[in-house]
């Protein structure tokens, strides 16, 4: 299953919580912002795009319960 949601991380607390959720995923995740496409489990990758604004989070082979954890940052 593949899900795409648009998310925005507004604070360092959001960033830390997002990374905790991302590293616990059984599937894979990509963060896409314009031409930039990074591994959403990569701390540096997410840090490089979070200040620019919202980004699309593509969750691949993740359960509905895993996807729902990211809904708190959905815009």
């Amino acid at each position: 299953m593949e899900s795409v949601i648009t998310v925005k991380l507004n604070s360092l607390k959001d960033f830390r919580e997002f990374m905790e959720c991302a590293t616990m995923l059984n599937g894979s995740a990509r963060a896409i912002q314009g031409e930039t496409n990074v591994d959403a489990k990569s701390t540096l990758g997410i840090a490089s795009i979070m200040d620019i604004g919202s980004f699309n989070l593509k969750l691949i082979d993740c359960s509905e319960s895993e996807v729902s954890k990211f809904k708190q940052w959905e815009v």
Side-chain angles (χ1 to χ4, degrees):
M1 181 177 104
E2 187 174 296
S3 299
V4 178
I5 58 174
T6 302
V7 299
K8 181 165 176 49
L9 305 176
N10 295 309
S11 65
L12 186 56
K13 179 180 182 271
D14 285 346
F15 173 71
R16 282 192 300 250
E17 290 174 359
F18 178 92
M19 292 311 303
E20 285 176 22
C21 291
T23 56
M24 301 296 281
L25 288 172
N26 289 319
S28 60
R30 304 297 301 174
I32 305 161
Q33 188 179 60
E35 297 288 320
T36 305
N37 185 333
V38 298
D39 183 350
K41 294 182 180 182
S42 164
T43 303
L44 272 176
I46 295 300
S48 70
I49 65 172
M50 75 172 270
D51 284 337
I52 299 170
S54 62
F55 57 90
N56 290 325
L57 178 63
K58 182 187 239 183
L59 300 161
I60 305 154
D61 296 328
C62 297
S63 69
E64 279 299 318
S65 63
E66 289 177 315
V67 172
S68 68
K69 292 178 182 177
F70 293 94
K71 297 285 184 177
Q72 62 184 316
W73 300 293
E74 188 172 23
V75 291

